[in-house]
Amino acid sequence: MSEEPTFERFLAAVRGTNPFRSHRITDVGGGEATVESIHKSAFTKLVRVVQDAAKEPVSIGALLIGAPGVGKSHLLARLFQWAGEDRATVVYLHNILASPERMLRYVLNATVSDLAGHRGSDYTQSRLYTVLNRAVIRTGALKGRRMMTGPKEIEARKEALARLGAKIDPQNAVIPVLNAFLTGTSHASLGDAGAEKRAQAAVLWLSGETLGPDEARLLDQAAGEDGLALADDAAVERVLHVLAHLCALAELPLVLCLDQIDNLDAEAVRALMSYAHALLDRAKHLVVIVSGVKQSMLSLRTGEVIPAAAWDRIAERILELHMVSPEEARAILEGRLDAALSGFEEKEIEEVIAARKRDRLFPLGSAWLERRLDGVQELRPRDAILWARDRWEAQQDRLAAVGGKRWLKEWPGPEDGPKPPPVKLEDVIDAEVKKKLVEGTTRRRLQQASLPPDEDNLASLTHHLLARCAGKGASTLLSVEHATAKKRGKTAPAHHLVAKEKRADGVIVTTGVTFLCAPSGHGARLPLQRMVEDTKHTDKRILVTDEERRPLRLGGAGKAAYDALCKLGRQRFLHLHLDFAGHAELDSLVGLLGATRSHDLEIEHPRGQYRKVTEAEVLASFERQSLLLAHPLLRELLTEELVKGGGDSTPPPAWDPQQTREHIMAELSWRLGLMAKELAQIFASRKKLHEKRFPEVWSHIKKTAQALHDEGHVHATATDDDLFVQLRGKK
């Protein structure tokens, strides 16, 4: 049971959380407070772009640029929230990494995964299902029938979608599969397990995956020797074109947001922008928004990484964000304080109401902000939030030192608290790197659909990291080669990666790494057979599978090949079972390096001064903290050691998990949101747990909040090494 809000609970909230801790958007679907007046003109233009594409059979490219910390991702978050009010279908794609030849296919995979969601048993809640149903309703193709789920109504929707397809998919290649998804999902909602498998097969095909004979039959198609899949980039484009047109017919135009593309390597940027150019030229009713730091984007243009023709099409509409005025900075801080403290005002905590009447910026203070803004003409929103973060922490220190009653009576207290002791630059970098890695991994965990199982993405992420370690430090790695899709062809080499390591005795060991995310036993057969046949080029072979989402499935021939590999012994063959966290950690490590490329990773050192962190400094931090060696796959290729892929071996907590869920829901019932750390502090206090157990409690609260997020009860947002948790539906 939760306790009624009191002044003591307010003090505990001030001690336990900081509404200014997050100064960058990590989840565009989150409910973080925004101020509509900030960048209003740019937002209005962005909305107009989406509305124009909905009305006319054209596709529009929009370029969103500005300095780091000026609010680009916040603007995209506002667009996402606007679109969620029955206005558009926005797909947010971040850290898009694949080999150049497969970049478009990975964009499709991520897009369909986002639209369909990662839980196949709940497709009725997906945006793709909504779009298809709305398209047949808004166009009148249902001919007056009501939206019901009986067999006759499902058949009527199928026929209506087929009629629409005659106009937007004249080759009749995509609509039949979308109809399999629509009818399969509808029948599955009535308890038909076979229909659910049909819907899942449709999603796999639409995502660009290769289907085996069994899955192909579910779609009334035949699989050849190599399986059933989209044949080429033209087929991939066709799926995106049809999806965009259907979104427009549903009056929910499709918007692809490619955020922070300047974090990618030059080859990846060139490929991604070339594909975006082609999509815009040939699709209808599609909006592609490309976002990046102005200086980095202009460098990519002048260096011809982005060709002139592609730039002109992508930057058809340019929206540049500038710094904000002092008045706008104050509005940002007031907005966050309103969101953080409104629960206490609504519950009529007299002390809070009185303090807020005296000063709307309580507990920061208007006088404090005026001093900080003295002589400042304009600033980044990030700067204002960082100032407020530090000011809140100073108030936390004052509160801890003098107690609640005296703190409030003497507020705002002395202007300057005791100066913190100097901290080494390396320690500050290490702390920031560790927090951002946890944040990135947690963000993907909360939004699993944004990181679909994909062999090429896993290979590209791994290669990206290993290539920066080859021949450096204490690593045994000498070189690593990525066999891209173009090189693989029909006579594909056995492995995605080939690494050469030098053992302590001077012997060179060659290791081949194959990633396998096949949805069927048919898809696993050929890669495993190629691994078996590779007897001359490698000394050791590693098979990496997605244990959590795509565990290895084997048919007869595939099992024979797998058994032959196992007979080689552990020193010559290793099957590494990677869970989702392992994939997300690779993505987070690469994303952090990318942030340095666009100068978007900052630290405060010394206190009050902010500086960029370089890629070399991040790599040095990785080495100091052994962050790469902590990953089972990277460790295997950097140390010439054999390690087991680990699962979660943390023992279960001693308290009732249901009690924890009730605790979280009760605390959120009267607050706009809480950090998981604050929820843990309240929980530990109520249970009278020893402070040594707090890390265990905090971890347990975060895991429970993640589960509630997956079930749709709360919305959790990754913030450094913590979570910000809100009830669903609250803003």
Side-chain angles (χ1 to χ4, degrees):
M1 293 291 293
S2 68
E3 299 173 1
E4 277 300 307
T6 63
F7 178 58
E8 289 303 320
R9 292 294 305 278
F10 164 71
L11 295 177
V14 174
R15 293 187 189 99
T17 192
N18 188 334
F20 303 98
R21 188 176 177 187
S22 173
H23 56 82
R24 65 181 73 227
I25 287 288
T26 61
D27 173 14
V28 293
E32 186 172 294
T34 58
V35 180
E36 292 185 3
S37 60
I38 307 299
H39 301 315
K40 184 176 181 179
S41 175
F43 180 70
T44 301
K45 290 178 181 177
L46 203 53
V47 167
R48 192 176 298 127
V49 167
V50 177
Q51 293 171 335
D52 288 348
K55 296 173 184 174
E56 302 294 333
V58 296
S59 290
I60 304 173
L63 180 64
L64 179 61
I65 55 175
V70 80
K72 297 181 296 297
S73 294
H74 279 79
L75 194 70
L76 293 179
R78 285 176 61 189
L79 180 70
F80 191 94
Q81 292 162 12
W82 170 85
E85 298 175 4
D86 214 23
R87 288 164 170 155
T89 305
V90 177
V91 177
Y92 179 78
L93 302 177
H94 172 68
N95 203 26
I96 308 163
L97 191 61
S99 56
E101 296 81 5
R102 290 187 62 86
M103 185 66 77
L104 181 62
R105 195 170 289 256
Y106 184 66
V107 168
L108 175 67
N109 192 356
T111 299
V112 173
S113 178
D114 186 277
L115 294 176
H118 71 283
R119 292 187 292 274
S121 61
D122 201 20
Y123 284 140
T124 56
Q125 304 301 311
S126 70
R127 292 195 286 169
L128 181 58
Y129 188 68
T130 298
V131 163
L132 296 179
N133 281 306
R134 280 188 49 145
V136 298
I137 293 170
R138 296 295 172 94
T139 58
L142 266 182
K143 296 182 178 178
R145 282 187 176 269
R146 290 184 297 166
M147 276 298 298
M148 298 178 68
T149 56
K152 290 184 178 179
E153 286 76 20
I154 294 173
E155 185 63 24
R157 278 185 280 164
K158 177 181 178 180
E159 293 172 0
L161 184 57
R163 285 193 291 272
L164 289 181
K167 299 177 181 178
I168 64 176
D169 183 24
Q171 294 175 304
N172 202 34
V174 182
I175 288 294
V177 181
L178 286 170
N179 241 328
F181 171 81
L182 177 64
T183 57
T185 300
S186 299
H187 283 294
S189 69
L190 302 177
D192 185 342
E196 184 178 307
K197 290 181 179 179
R198 185 164 70 252
Q200 290 173 343
V203 169
L204 289 171
W205 185 89
L206 292 166
S207 302
E209 300 277 12
T210 300
L211 304 186
D214 293 341
E215 291 83 3
R217 278 192 290 272
L218 291 172
L219 303 180
D220 298 324
Q221 299 192 47
E225 183 179 346
D226 294 333
L228 176 68
L230 298 171
D232 50 28
D233 284 347
V236 172
E237 275 191 35
R238 191 177 302 120
V239 174
L240 287 167
H241 294 172
V242 171
L243 288 174
H245 209 136
L246 283 168
C247 285
L249 292 175
E251 299 176 11
L252 294 168
L254 181 60
V255 182
L256 298 183
C257 291
L258 310 180
D259 194 16
Q260 299 177 353
I261 69 148
D262 44 339
N263 287 6
L264 303 176
D265 285 339
E267 280 192 9
V269 172
R270 184 179 291 110
L272 185 58
M273 292 300 94
S274 295
Y275 283 127
H277 179 197
L279 279 175
L280 287 167
D281 273 353
R282 292 192 277 267
K284 297 178 181 179
H285 303 291
L286 174 68
V287 176
V288 176
I289 301 172
V290 174
S291 174
V293 173
K294 179 180 179 181
Q295 181 181 352
S296 304
M297 294 299 298
L298 293 178
S299 295
L300 291 170
R301 170 65 193 95
T302 56
E304 297 187 351
V305 173
I306 301 178
W311 177 273
D312 291 343
R313 194 67 176 89
I314 292 159
E316 182 179 350
R317 310 277 181 91
I318 298 179
L319 299 93
E320 181 176 355
L321 300 190
H322 301 281
M323 293 192 283
V324 298
S325 68
E327 293 75 20
E328 289 174 317
R330 181 187 176 101
I332 291 171
L333 303 189
E334 285 185 358
R336 290 216 182 181
L337 287 171
D338 288 344
L341 302 180
S342 63
F344 296 101
E345 292 182 289
E346 290 171 3
K347 294 295 182 178
E348 298 184 353
I349 309 301
E350 293 180 4
E351 294 89 343
V352 179
I353 294 172
R356 293 269 284 165
K357 282 183 177 178
R358 293 201 316 269
D359 191 332
R360 202 65 193 163
L361 283 181
F362 171 82
L364 303 178
S366 296
W368 158 80
L369 183 60
E370 288 172 6
R371 289 194 299 272
R372 289 305 310 249
L373 291 172
D374 185 31
V376 175
Q377 300 299 316
E378 57 181 10
L379 68 160
R380 302 181 307 169
R382 182 181 296 176
D383 293 329
I385 294 169
L386 288 170
W387 294 348
R389 179 202 63 186
D390 295 345
R391 175 63 174 177
W392 190 282
E393 289 177 358
Q395 291 298 324
Q396 287 175 324
D397 294 341
R398 174 72 178 165
L399 176 58
V402 303
K405 291 183 179 180
R406 183 178 167 188
W407 169 74
L408 185 61
K409 182 180 178 181
E410 297 178 355
W411 183 86
E415 288 189 12
D416 299 310
K419 288 188 177 181
V423 184
K424 290 173 57 179
L425 175 61
E426 289 182 351
D427 292 340
V428 176
I429 292 175
D430 288 351
E432 186 69 11
V433 163
K434 192 66 179 288
K435 284 191 300 184
K436 291 307 175 189
L437 287 179
V438 173
E439 179 184 282
T441 303
T442 304
R443 180 179 67 246
R444 291 297 198 185
R445 164 68 182 80
L446 295 170
Q447 307 160 35
Q448 286 197 35
S450 70
L451 190 66
D454 188 277
E455 295 160 7
D456 192 67
N457 175 251
L458 277 167
S460 298
L461 291 169
T462 306
H463 178 261
H464 192 96
L465 294 165
L466 292 177
R468 283 154 175 76
C469 301
K472 298 177 182 177
S475 165
T476 60
L477 184 67
L478 296 176
S479 65
V480 60
E481 180 185 354
H482 185 189
T484 63
K486 188 174 181 180
K487 295 176 184 175
R488 290 168 69 83
K490 286 196 174 181
T491 56
H495 309 287
H496 291 92
L497 303 179
V498 176
K500 292 187 181 295
E501 298 176 79
K502 186 175 183 179
R503 290 194 324 220
D505 59 4
V507 174
I508 305 298
V509 177
T510 303
T511 302
V513 186
T514 296
F515 297 88
L516 193 52
C517 297
S520 68
H522 182 87
R525 176 177 59 88
L526 288 177
L528 291 173
Q529 288 177 343
R530 285 195 292 264
M531 289 183 75
V532 172
E533 294 164 1
D534 181 43
T535 58
K536 297 180 180 179
H537 304 99
T538 56
D539 304 298
K540 184 166 63 178
R541 282 157 270 191
I542 298 176
L543 173 67
V544 183
T545 57
D546 186 323
E547 180 69 12
E548 189 171 330
R549 299 177 292 174
R550 294 276 178 84
L552 183 62
R553 294 176 59 184
L554 298 171
K559 187 176 186 307
Y562 183 76
D563 290 344
L565 288 168
C566 291
K567 288 178 182 178
L568 296 174
R570 188 167 171 77
Q571 294 302 316
R572 296 178 61 197
F573 171 69
L574 172 65
H575 181 184
L576 202 156
H577 304 271
L578 203 64
D579 58 12
F580 178 78
H583 189 172
E585 285 165 14
L586 292 173
D587 177 82
S588 186
L589 287 161
V590 171
L592 193 54
L593 291 173
T596 67
R597 189 172 298 112
S598 59
H599 310 291
D600 201 25
L601 182 64
E602 297 178 337
I603 59 167
E604 185 181 10
H605 189 273
R607 189 75 169 178
Q609 297 181 24
Y610 300 97
R611 67 181 291 272
K612 314 294 183 188
V613 183
T614 66
E615 181 178 286
E617 289 174 325
V618 169
L619 287 169
S621 180
F622 285 176
E623 186 171 359
R624 283 193 299 273
Q625 301 186 77
S626 299
L627 294 175
L628 299 184
L629 295 180
H631 193 282
L633 174 58
L634 299 178
R635 182 177 180 84
E636 176 63 31
L637 295 166
L638 292 171
T639 63
E640 188 48 20
E641 293 180 4
L642 289 172
V643 294
K644 294 182 179 180
D648 186 359
S649 59
T650 305
W655 45 83
D656 180 8
Q658 182 59 30
Q659 198 176 63
T660 311
R661 296 166 69 92
E662 292 173 357
H663 162 73
I664 292 173
M665 298 301 289
E667 292 300 319
L668 292 175
S669 66
W670 60 278
R671 296 282 296 277
L672 289 184
L674 288 167
M675 300 300 295
K677 192 170 189 177
E678 184 180 354
L679 285 164
Q681 288 168 337
I682 298 169
F683 188 84
S685 173
R686 200 166 285 155
K687 292 286 184 182
K688 296 181 171 54
L689 299 174
H690 194 280
E691 61 181 15
K692 289 183 178 179
R693 295 196 67 187
F694 182 75
E696 176 190 353
V697 177
W698 188 19
S699 176
H700 176 63
I701 290 288
K702 285 193 283 188
K703 287 182 179 179
T704 305
Q706 288 173 357
L708 289 169
H709 172 95
D710 288 343
E711 295 165 14
H713 300 303
V714 306
H715 188 95
T717 305
T719 303
D720 289 342
D721 55 353
D722 205 356
L723 293 175
F724 181 65
V725 191
Q726 300 167 286
L727 282 181
R728 284 282 182 185
K730 286 205 172 189
K731 297 293 181 183

